[in-house]
Amino acid sequence: MKIIQASSEIITATPDLEQVIELAGRVCWKSEDKICDGSAEKLIKFLKGKNHASVMEHGVITVKIVCDRGVSHELVRHRIASFSQESTRYVNYSKDKQGGGITVIQPCFWGEGTAMFHEWKRACQQAEETYLAMLDNGAGPQEARSVLPNSLKTEIFVTANVREWQHIFELRCAPAAHPSMREIMIPLQEKFAKYWPSIFGDHLDA
Amino acid sequence: MKIIQASSEIITATPDLEQVIELAGRVCWKSEDKICDGSAEKLIKFLKGKNHASVMEHGVITVKIVCDRGVSHELVRHRIASFSQESTRYVNYSKDKQGGGITVIQPCFWGEGTAMFHEWKRACQQAEETYLAMLDNGAGPQEARSVLPNSLKTEIFVTANVREWQHIFELRCAPAAHPSMREIMIPLQEKFAKYWPSIFGDHLDA
Amino acid sequence: MKIIQASSEIITATPDLEQVIELAGRVCWKSEDKICDGSAEKLIKFLKGKNHASVMEHGVITVKIVCDRGVSHELVRHRIASFSQESTRYVNYSKDKQGGGITVIQPCFWGEGTAMFHEWKRACQQAEETYLAMLDNGAGPQEARSVLPNSLKTEIFVTANVREWQHIFELRCAPAAHPSMREIMIPLQEKFAKYWPSIFGDHLDA
Amino acid sequence: MKIIQASSEIITATPDLEQVIELAGRVCWKSEDKICDGSAEKLIKFLKGKNHASVMEHGVITVKIVCDRGVSHELVRHRIASFSQESTRYVNYSKDKQGGGITVIQPCFWGEGTAMFHEWKRACQQAEETYLAMLDNGAGPQEARSVLPNSLKTEIFVTANVREWQHIFELRCAPAAHPSMREIMIPLQEKFAKYWPSIFGDHLDA
């Protein structure tokens, strides 16, 4: 059993994302003649102020997230997005296939030396043992997965437009969000803010 | 720990569902004057033949499904639907709260007397023990859930329109679907076919 | 040519809409035992305060709207809804088919005796004449529609859930909305508020 | 009044679109080690054969379409897409603003020398005259638009993923589609097929 930490990575995005959003917005008002250096950032600020969020949808960003199955179950509830997720039906975590049994995500709320962490690790190992024994005894991965814990690592591609990413960050970085969700989303928002400050940099102003 | 079987139940639906679909369809062609006894069924047949599926969206059906968290994770991938799901963050499965610890869904692919069933049951009980001990030691439900197995029972309200339910049944009753998904969806489709035969009764013809 | 006014009509809705929303919400927290007289309205108030809007999606309402093609073009931009619209491709507005040529929607911003109204009426009549002449000369309705004005009457079935209707009213009753859109949406919101005051009655408090 | 032809233009797309789709697909089965020269095209073929269409959603393409308001009204019915459209509320087509009054799209079904074309042109000119006179007399663009014809030119940005574009082409290139829609969509599909032959090149095989 491997224990790893949750993570995220930007895979790809609309090239010249701010400029595409500007161009889309200027089609609405036929003001393409106003495009110049810095005009995209200015228009985006204006759109945000007016809550003309639909224009933001022309910018699209794809991210790969590594998280546990509890987080991914929440994540796929965002319906204005596209997902491709590691399948517990088709992937076989037996030792010889993925080399080393299952992988689990270390819970961010329990320090490594704590009793809770120890208990959690032991429980995950027990689950893995049963899973592997079941496979040995002829169960398929999609059956044996029954015993796998919520902490099981999963990988998921998420493609969403800027408007939806803004909505995701609003919900998933908030104090009310699950700690394992926030652990992923807060640093991801930081990355977005670095690439596209006029769009995702707002929370830095506070 | 309680072991129960997966199940489904129709909660509510558009009243006079076929008639509403007919009325919507006849608005498109201004043929409302052709409405008579049996005309709805006839129009629905015509719409299906022509693949004019969008008109079907005016009929909406709400279902409550009781399943494991593996099935629900697949289910919520249907984006043209609305979901409200039992929360492992807010529900506390300690003995005094929901009376009797966790509830798990019996896997339909392992008979009760089999070695696999025995192994699975033992693994679920171990997970429950750890979960309950963690709560006793001060963990919150949203933390302790980390060790809960894929077989954990969940309840979920699903509201979708006829077109989407047709799509759901097409995917989720197929031989390639997960057995625990088919266990729910095949009887549910039967129920739909009884209520709305002109819409959901096709698979009975084969 | 007939001149009529824009209008709207509730066709159908989820039976016991507030109770269905309550039931869906209580599945999330497993608090079904708290259902009693008046509990639905109380829960809905709580959900609104917490912005738990997704639960509202289990209530669905179908409306028939009669409006001009400018309004309908805006209306169908709401993507979380289902539409069936009178087709200018398939409906033939020649005198013998729909009895009396085209129908147009009276603009709410021009009084009947005004010069603007007179000009508008004359322009619509000219367009109708050309349309009818084209049909006589062998054009199909989907070709001859090229000359029909924005004021052309259209009928459209709209099925949307409570959450989306709330969003529609927020945008389409606002001062910034098109007058012909507000003419329809403000009275429609009133009707909704009468049927489901706990959900749509908020604007009455102001 | 200007008369122009309908057109389309690819504005931007996911960089390395096929490779992103491949990567997303391989996350599902953890087969990233199989990526090599030509493997993307092979996987895409496999996905298409298996109808695993969801993976295709990670590729996104933005197009600008210039069409009449009849075509755009149909186009925006595609709900799995993002639109930004030239506004007849905010754009003022008076001579001094956009230089030359309104612009209309030449119907592809009437040759320039024909009687139908002549009638159509005259009707559009009459509509323009009324529109411009109304603006002169104090009407706002969003009021005066009432008399503008279905043939009025509009510009629209459309961002959609590969799966939706495939669906759009299937519906909108078909013989049953409106001729003015096909006029745009058939050449657009050709352009897509040139850029991404493994995805959009199928219809060339027939």
Side-chain angles (χ1 to χ4, degrees):
Chain A
M1 187 179 86
K2 268 184 262 178
I3 301 177
I4 65 169
Q5 293 197 318
S7 65
S8 69
E9 179 192 352
I10 299 176
I11 297 292
T12 191
T14 305
D16 301 317
L17 191 143
E18 283 105 334
Q19 280 68 35
V20 170
I21 289 174
E22 177 185 26
L23 202 51
R26 295 203 181 278
V27 159
C28 303
W29 304 290
K30 300 302 305 156
S31 65
E32 292 93 336
D33 56 317
K34 293 192 178 152
I35 294 176
C36 64
D37 248 35
S39 63
E41 289 71 14
K42 248 173 95 176
L43 185 74
I44 285 167
K45 209 171 191 171
F46 170 80
L47 291 171
K48 286 165 87 168
K50 289 276 188 186
N51 205 18
H52 282 327
S54 71
V55 184
M56 298 290 191
E57 298 177 16
H58 298 286
V60 179
I61 302 162
T62 298
V63 170
K64 180 182 168 182
I65 290 174
V66 181
C67 60
D68 70 32
R69 299 263 307 174
V71 168
S72 70
H73 203 323
E74 284 197 1
L75 208 51
V76 298
R77 292 289 299 275
H78 288 277
R79 287 163 294 186
I80 318 294
S82 299
F83 301 98
S84 294
Q85 185 174 0
E86 177 180 348
S87 167
T88 51
R89 296 187 62 199
Y90 297 117
V91 179
N92 183 326
Y93 300 112
S94 65
K95 304 237 177 217
D96 49 337
K97 291 290 174 65
Q98 292 282 328
I102 68 170
T103 301
V104 290
I105 298 292
Q106 181 172 342
C108 60
F109 35 81
W110 293 327
E112 270 195 45
T114 61
M116 285 291 186
F117 177 83
H118 181 77
E119 276 305 283
W120 166 80
K121 187 176 166 186
R122 198 188 40 75
C124 291
Q125 282 169 333
Q126 281 181 337
E128 182 192 35
E129 269 169 49
T130 310
Y131 172 82
L132 294 174
M134 282 175 159
L135 291 184
D136 279 347
N137 291 328
Q142 71 170 7
E143 295 168 350
R145 75 169 188 180
S146 303
V147 300
L148 291 180
N150 191 71
S151 288
L152 185 73
K153 181 270 291 178
T154 191
E155 302 182 17
I156 186 163
F157 253 54
V158 185
T159 295
N161 65 47
V162 163
R163 184 185 195 175
E164 185 64 16
W165 278 115
Q166 288 174 324
H167 179 61
I168 290 172
F169 290 138
E170 196 186 340
L171 290 187
R172 305 304 183 182
C173 297
H178 192 284
S180 300
M181 182 61 93
R182 300 184 81 205
E183 184 198 7
I184 291 159
M185 287 298 169
I186 291 172
L188 185 59
Q189 189 182 28
E190 296 302 313
K191 285 180 209 169
F192 277 37
K194 237 178 250 175
Y195 277 102
W196 306 286
S198 72
I199 298 174
F200 294 101
D202 282 0
H203 66 289
L204 303 174
D205 300 342
Chain B
M1 187 179 86
K2 268 184 263 179
I3 301 177
I4 65 169
Q5 292 197 319
S7 64
S8 69
E9 180 192 352
I10 298 176
I11 298 292
T12 191
T14 305
D16 301 318
L17 192 142
E18 282 105 333
Q19 280 69 35
V20 170
I21 289 174
E22 177 185 26
L23 202 50
R26 295 202 180 279
V27 159
C28 303
W29 305 289
K30 300 302 304 155
S31 65
E32 293 93 335
D33 56 317
K34 294 192 178 153
I35 294 176
C36 63
D37 247 36
S39 63
E41 289 71 14
K42 247 174 96 176
L43 186 74
I44 285 167
K45 209 169 192 173
F46 170 79
L47 291 171
K48 286 165 88 169
K50 288 275 189 186
N51 205 18
H52 282 327
S54 72
V55 184
M56 299 290 191
E57 299 178 15
H58 297 286
V60 179
I61 302 163
T62 298
V63 170
K64 181 182 169 182
I65 290 173
V66 180
C67 59
D68 71 32
R69 299 262 308 173
V71 168
S72 70
H73 203 323
E74 284 197 0
L75 208 50
V76 298
R77 292 288 299 274
H78 288 277
R79 288 164 293 187
I80 317 294
S82 300
F83 301 99
S84 293
Q85 185 175 2
E86 178 179 348
S87 167
T88 51
R89 296 187 62 199
Y90 298 118
V91 179
N92 182 326
Y93 301 112
S94 65
K95 305 239 175 215
D96 49 337
K97 290 291 174 63
Q98 292 282 329
I102 69 169
T103 301
V104 289
I105 298 292
Q106 181 171 343
C108 59
F109 35 82
W110 292 327
E112 271 195 45
T114 62
M116 286 289 187
F117 178 82
H118 180 76
E119 276 306 283
W120 166 80
K121 187 175 167 186
R122 198 187 40 75
C124 291
Q125 282 169 333
Q126 281 181 338
E128 181 191 37
E129 269 168 49
T130 309
Y131 172 83
L132 294 174
M134 283 174 159
L135 291 184
D136 279 346
N137 292 327
Q142 72 171 5
E143 296 168 350
R145 75 168 187 179
S146 303
V147 300
L148 290 179
N150 191 71
S151 288
L152 185 73
K153 181 270 289 178
T154 191
E155 302 182 16
I156 186 162
F157 253 54
V158 185
T159 295
N161 64 48
V162 163
R163 184 185 194 176
E164 185 64 17
W165 278 114
Q166 288 174 324
H167 179 62
I168 290 173
F169 290 138
E170 196 187 341
L171 289 187
R172 306 305 183 180
C173 297
H178 192 282
S180 300
M181 182 61 93
R182 300 184 81 205
E183 184 197 7
I184 292 158
M185 287 299 168
I186 290 172
L188 185 59
Q189 189 182 26
E190 297 302 313
K191 286 179 207 168
F192 277 37
K194 236 177 249 174
Y195 277 102
W196 306 286
S198 71
I199 298 174
F200 293 102
D202 281 0
H203 66 290
L204 302 174
D205 301 342
Chain C
M1 187 178 86
K2 269 184 260 176
I3 301 177
I4 65 170
Q5 292 197 319
S7 65
S8 69
E9 180 193 352
I10 299 177
I11 298 292
T12 192
T14 305
D16 300 317
L17 190 143
E18 284 104 333
Q19 280 69 36
V20 170
I21 289 174
E22 178 184 24
L23 201 53
R26 294 203 181 279
V27 159
C28 302
W29 304 288
K30 301 300 306 153
S31 66
E32 292 93 336
D33 56 316
K34 293 192 178 153
I35 294 175
C36 64
D37 247 34
S39 62
E41 287 73 14
K42 248 175 94 177
L43 185 74
I44 284 167
K45 210 169 189 171
F46 170 80
L47 291 170
K48 285 165 88 168
K50 289 275 188 188
N51 205 17
H52 282 327
S54 72
V55 184
M56 298 290 189
E57 298 177 16
H58 297 286
V60 179
I61 302 162
T62 297
V63 170
K64 180 182 169 182
I65 290 173
V66 180
C67 60
D68 72 31
R69 299 260 310 172
V71 168
S72 70
H73 202 323
E74 285 197 0
L75 207 51
V76 298
R77 290 290 298 275
H78 288 277
R79 287 163 294 188
I80 318 295
S82 299
F83 301 98
S84 293
Q85 184 174 3
E86 178 180 346
S87 168
T88 51
R89 295 187 62 199
Y90 297 118
V91 179
N92 184 326
Y93 301 112
S94 64
K95 305 238 176 215
D96 49 338
K97 292 290 174 64
Q98 292 281 328
I102 68 169
T103 302
V104 289
I105 299 291
Q106 180 170 345
C108 59
F109 34 82
W110 292 328
E112 270 195 46
T114 61
M116 285 291 188
F117 177 82
H118 180 77
E119 277 304 284
W120 165 81
K121 187 175 166 186
R122 199 187 40 74
C124 292
Q125 282 170 332
Q126 281 181 337
E128 182 192 36
E129 268 168 49
T130 310
Y131 173 83
L132 294 174
M134 283 174 157
L135 292 184
D136 279 347
N137 291 327
Q142 71 171 5
E143 296 168 349
R145 74 168 188 181
S146 303
V147 300
L148 290 179
N150 191 70
S151 287
L152 186 73
K153 181 269 290 178
T154 191
E155 302 183 16
I156 186 162
F157 254 54
V158 185
T159 295
N161 65 46
V162 163
R163 184 185 195 175
E164 185 64 16
W165 278 114
Q166 288 174 325
H167 179 61
I168 290 172
F169 290 138
E170 196 186 340
L171 290 187
R172 306 303 183 180
C173 296
H178 193 283
S180 300
M181 182 62 93
R182 301 184 80 205
E183 184 198 5
I184 292 159
M185 287 298 168
I186 291 172
L188 185 59
Q189 189 181 27
E190 295 302 312
K191 286 179 208 169
F192 277 38
K194 237 178 250 176
Y195 278 102
W196 307 286
S198 71
I199 298 174
F200 293 101
D202 282 0
H203 67 289
L204 303 174
D205 301 342
Chain D
M1 188 178 86
K2 270 184 261 177
I3 301 177
I4 65 169
Q5 292 197 320
S7 65
S8 69
E9 180 192 352
I10 299 177
I11 297 292
T12 192
T14 305
D16 301 318
L17 191 143
E18 283 104 333
Q19 280 69 36
V20 171
I21 290 174
E22 177 184 26
L23 201 52
R26 295 204 179 278
V27 159
C28 303
W29 305 288
K30 301 301 303 155
S31 65
E32 292 93 335
D33 56 317
K34 292 191 179 155
I35 294 175
C36 64
D37 247 34
S39 62
E41 289 72 15
K42 248 175 93 178
L43 185 74
I44 285 167
K45 210 170 191 172
F46 170 80
L47 291 170
K48 285 165 87 168
K50 289 275 188 188
N51 204 17
H52 282 327
S54 72
V55 184
M56 298 290 192
E57 299 177 15
H58 297 286
V60 179
I61 302 163
T62 298
V63 169
K64 181 181 169 183
I65 290 174
V66 180
C67 60
D68 71 33
R69 300 261 309 172
V71 168
S72 70
H73 203 322
E74 284 196 0
L75 208 50
V76 298
R77 291 289 299 275
H78 288 276
R79 287 164 294 187
I80 318 294
S82 299
F83 301 98
S84 294
Q85 184 175 3
E86 178 179 347
S87 168
T88 51
R89 296 187 62 200
Y90 297 118
V91 179
N92 183 326
Y93 301 112
S94 65
K95 303 237 178 215
D96 50 335
K97 292 290 174 65
Q98 293 281 328
I102 68 170
T103 302
V104 290
I105 298 292
Q106 180 171 344
C108 59
F109 34 81
W110 293 326
E112 271 196 46
T114 61
M116 287 289 187
F117 178 82
H118 180 77
E119 276 305 284
W120 166 80
K121 188 176 167 187
R122 199 187 41 74
C124 291
Q125 282 170 333
Q126 281 182 337
E128 182 191 36
E129 268 169 50
T130 309
Y131 172 82
L132 295 174
M134 283 173 158
L135 291 184
D136 279 348
N137 291 328
Q142 71 171 5
E143 296 168 350
R145 74 168 188 181
S146 303
V147 300
L148 291 179
N150 191 70
S151 288
L152 185 73
K153 181 268 291 177
T154 191
E155 302 182 16
I156 186 161
F157 254 54
V158 185
T159 295
N161 64 47
V162 163
R163 183 185 195 176
E164 185 63 16
W165 278 115
Q166 288 175 324
H167 178 62
I168 290 172
F169 290 138
E170 196 186 340
L171 290 187
R172 305 304 183 181
C173 297
H178 192 283
S180 301
M181 182 62 93
R182 301 183 80 205
E183 184 197 7
I184 292 159
M185 288 298 169
I186 291 171
L188 186 58
Q189 189 181 28
E190 296 302 312
K191 286 179 208 168
F192 277 38
K194 238 178 248 176
Y195 277 102
W196 307 286
S198 71
I199 299 175
F200 293 102
D202 282 0
H203 65 291
L204 302 174
D205 301 343

